[in-house]
Amino acid sequence: MRQSLTERYNTVRPFLTLLGDSAALGAASGGRRVLAAVKRLPVLARRKIKQKPLLSKEIDEKLVPPMWRRAVYANPDLPTGSVDRDAYVMCVLEHLVKALHRRDIYAAPSHR
């Protein structure tokens, strides 16, 4: 299922810059790590992965739960030791949705 979500990367790619550069997002202590990863999404979207593969030290590994590990780290089409950018972006977006529901990340100014 995670692999099929990764195929939807091109659908969300146009919105990553808007989402990452948005000053309207704020975070409580539980959402700071996720918000920091969301802020890095525009840089990842602009990166030419075929020229410079994404390495595991360039992502927040603590945001990759066991159910996403195979999709993020074990893509056979990528060089050994590289990370699947598309899968990592979708993983971060899944964390963002969960954090929004928990209100760890919020839109400021918010009236709730």
Side-chain angles (χ1 to χ4, degrees), residues 16-86:
L16 295 178
T17 302
L18 295 172
L19 185 62
D21 293 340
S22 175
L25 292 178
S29 60
R32 287 193 183 120
R33 180 179 294 266
V34 175
L35 186 59
V38 169
K39 297 288 185 183
R40 283 194 30 83
L41 291 181
V43 174
L44 293 178
R46 287 189 299 265
R47 187 167 187 162
K48 297 190 184 327
I49 298 298
K50 294 189 188 227
Q51 294 174 355
K52 185 178 179 188
L54 187 64
L55 302 175
S56 61
K57 65 182 179 180
E58 298 176 278
I59 65 169
D60 188 351
E61 292 183 347
K62 292 183 180 178
L63 287 179
V64 182
M67 61 188 160
W68 274 99
R69 289 205 183 276
R70 183 182 301 159
V72 173
Y73 295 115
N75 187 338
D77 298 332
L78 297 174
T80 304
S82 63
V83 173
D84 188 341
R85 176 204 52 197
D86 302 354

Side-chain angles (χ1 to χ4, degrees), residues 4-16 86 89-90 93:
S4 63
L5 282 176
T6 301
E7 294 170 7
R8 306 302 295 171
Y9 172 76
N10 287 330
T11 304
V12 298
R13 187 174 50 89
F15 305 103
L16 295 178
D86 302 354
V89 167
M90 297 306 286
L93 291 177

